[in-house]
Amino acid sequence: MDSPIPDYLHEVLSACGADTSGAVADYIPELAQVDPDRLGVALTTVDGAVYEAGDCESRFTIQSISKPFVYALALQQRGLEAVLDQVDVEPSGEAFNELSLEKGSGRPLNPMINAGAIVVHTMLGDPGDPQGRCDQVLAGLSAFAGRPLDVDEAAYGSETATAFRNYAIANMLRSRDSITEDPEDVVAAYTRQCSVRVSTRDLALMAATLANGGVHPVSEEQVVEEWVARQVMSVMATCGMYDSAGDWISTVGFPAKSGVSGGIIGALPGQLGIAAFSPRLDPHGSSVRGVEVCRHLSADMGLHMMDAPQPVRATIRRMHTVQQVDGSAAKVFSLHGSLQFAGTERLVRDLAEADAAGQLSDAVVLDLTRVHSINAVARRMLLETVRRLSVEGCSVTVVDPESTLPDPDCGDGLRPTVVGTVAEAAALGGG
Ligand code: GLU
């Protein structure tokens, strides 16, 4: 059987392909030369499956899509405090190349607009070593892509010759000591960052590395730590789409970043990296058809972050009573899925209510056979509940054949009995 997903992606491209509105960026002369009809989409799951349709192999310059990744590298190298000290994380609601700084602090508003991205770029490597910095950027972007990338020298030359706006921004930053090197050198090095060549497939893998907590889904290299990936995706969610960020997050609903060469990425934490490419841009500087492709994917695949998750009561699959060897009854709570705060709260509430109503027998069995993950807060809540029930004289047995509950230690030397099946739990009762 062939997977239906590539066919679905082809359908999405057919649905979006007819729209020829917008215009290629021409403020960088080399970008005006590209074939405006190119169109591709790629999806990568966090375990490394890649699905593509259309033109996913041809190369284009990464442009502003480099910003979240270089922000990640700077966070990893300098730490959150040091980076926040230089560049804030507030949406600007302005165009990508606005000459603006935050009132009061004088910091660029966020790392996704050029002013912030230029400062972040200078935070990598040793001060006064633009070549070393460019090498680090190229190596870092390559690690995110999982293959060695290179620089499009023609695009680089073309942009440095016409980067008047970025020179203005860099001079503004230099006048406030937000950067300390020669503004021309800084713009040249930042422009090399923007001129790194990628394919749509590369971008999907780069986005999937963020979605996968900083670990490349194929090479399995930990490119940045998990907290870095979270920080970057948060800023992409609020600032990645410049002056259309609010519309984007309410309609498409996942962290994204676009670039003026026509690329766009989306990162769904724990699920997917998405990339689309089509060179004609809307007035915000984002790919017209790339945005449309993302809208389709979000609607069809239920990718909006704010879509209501499964009702939490679904955490408790079944409640029943089993007879133990001594003839007394034990109440069994069979749980399933992934235990997080809300689902565990529901379990704790049901247990507390049953206890208050005198409906809880002296033996409780928590059956985790169908639970596949338990996050830190759910673990603490479960173990504290076990501790409280035990203190009240209730015997609690945990059925956990796969050891999904790590280190079942309730504190004070108290540990619940852990067994592999409900039958084993019943066999223990009263015995
Ligand atoms: N190199 C471009 C610039 O700085 C990137 C802008 C973008 O892709 O939005 O003007």
Side-chain angles (χ1 to χ4, degrees):
M1 184 207 80
D2 289 336
S3 163
I5 298 172
D7 296 339
Y8 162 68
L9 292 179
H10 280 289
E11 276 169 32
V12 171
L13 291 192
S14 316
C16 302
D19 187 348
T20 56
S21 64
V24 297
D26 55 6
Y27 77 103
I28 302 172
E30 192 71 15
L31 291 187
Q33 308 303 317
V34 300
D35 171 4
D37 290 322
R38 279 153 64 179
L39 177 62
V41 59
L43 295 188
T44 301
T45 62
V46 291
D47 63 353
V50 181
Y51 299 98
E52 325 177 288
D55 183 354
C56 286
E57 290 305 324
S58 59
R59 310 276 159 90
F60 50 92
T61 51
I62 189 168
Q63 299 298 342
S64 277
I65 301 175
S66 63
K67 292 170 180 171
F69 298 101
V70 175
Y71 182 51
L73 297 173
L75 288 166
Q76 186 64 52
Q77 217 174 83
R78 301 268 178 236
L80 181 60
E81 292 278 302
V83 178
L84 280 179
D85 220 39
Q86 303 280 330
V87 180
D88 204 356
V89 289
E90 292 304 329
S92 68
E94 294 173 339
F96 68 95
N97 56 4
E98 200 58 45
L99 275 98
S100 68
L101 296 171
E102 193 173 51
K103 287 191 185 68
S105 75
R107 289 174 297 179
L109 276 147
N110 67 68
M112 301 295 143
I113 53 171
N114 287 10
I118 289 172
V119 173
V120 166
H121 168 86
T122 63
M123 297 186 80
L124 281 189
D126 296 323
D129 179 17
Q131 182 56 50
R133 202 157 60 228
C134 288
D135 293 346
Q136 285 198 19
V137 166
L138 191 58
L141 294 179
S142 300
F144 272 111
R147 73 172 188 91
L149 302 176
D150 61 6
V151 172
D152 182 333
E153 297 294 343
Y156 167 68
S158 166
E159 187 171 351
T160 40
T162 55
F164 308 116
R165 187 93 188 176
N166 285 338
Y167 290 125
I169 292 172
N171 277 298
M172 170 183 76
L173 294 168
R174 180 70 190 88
S175 74
R176 304 191 62 115
D177 288 331
S178 297
I179 58 173
T180 51
E181 293 171 32
D182 175 44
E184 287 212 8
D185 291 349
V186 170
V187 171
Y190 162 76
T191 307
R192 275 194 94 69
Q193 167 187 320
C194 293
S195 305
V196 170
R197 283 198 301 177
V198 287
S199 64
T200 308
R201 181 191 176 89
D202 290 327
L203 288 181
L205 279 154
M206 295 173 82
T209 303
L210 291 177
N212 195 30
V215 177
H216 190 280
V218 179
S219 76
E220 294 184 358
E221 182 186 349
Q222 178 99 46
V223 183
V224 290
E225 286 170 68
E226 198 172 340
W227 69 267
V228 172
R230 187 179 94 160
Q231 173 73 10
V232 171
M233 288 188 286
S234 307
V235 178
M236 284 166 65
T238 50
C239 311
M241 300 300 280
Y242 306 128
D243 45 343
S244 64
D247 174 50
W248 175 269
I249 208 66
S250 57
T251 57
V252 183
F254 52 73
K257 186 73 203 80
S258 64
V260 286
S261 52
I264 182 164
I265 60 164
L268 268 293
Q271 291 195 60
L272 286 177
I274 295 173
F277 171 59
S278 177
R280 290 191 198 89
L281 306 181
D282 65 19
H284 306 290
S286 300
S287 167
V288 173
R289 296 194 293 192
V291 167
E292 225 20 65
V293 165
C294 289
R295 283 187 198 280
H296 271 79
L297 296 181
S298 174
D300 298 345
M301 294 165 63
L303 301 181
H304 198 299
M305 289 189 309
M306 301 302 168
D307 278 342
Q310 267 191 342
V312 295
R313 64 180 167 277
T315 296
I316 303 175
R317 215 181 116 244
R318 187 155 95 97
M319 263 186 293
H320 66 291
T321 305
V322 288
Q323 206 181 27
Q324 305 183 101
V325 279
D326 68 349
S328 65
K331 207 148 195 132
V332 182
F333 292 80
S334 294
L335 313 179
H336 70 165
S338 161
L339 296 194
Q340 301 183 359
F341 174 79
T344 313
E345 182 279 335
R346 176 73 196 212
L347 167 72
V348 171
R349 182 156 34 112
D350 280 5
L351 280 165
E353 281 172 6
D355 193 22
Q359 293 164 353
L360 214 56
S361 44
D362 288 342
V364 165
V365 177
L366 296 179
D367 177 11
L368 308 181
T369 310
R370 296 196 184 203
V371 170
H372 53 76
S373 69
I374 301 176
N375 76 0
V377 66
R379 173 181 171 275
R380 286 204 304 276
M381 289 165 74
L382 271 184
L383 292 173
E384 177 60 14
T385 304
V386 171
R387 193 186 69 76
R388 290 183 181 213
L389 288 171
S390 307
V391 166
E392 287 178 15
C394 178
S395 98
V396 183
T397 308
V398 175
V399 178
D400 187 13
E402 311 265 326
S403 302
T404 309
L405 179 66
D407 187 21
D409 181 350
C410 308
D412 303 333
L414 195 73
R415 298 176 78 89
T417 308
V418 181
V419 295
T421 62
V422 173
E424 275 178 70
L428 288 176

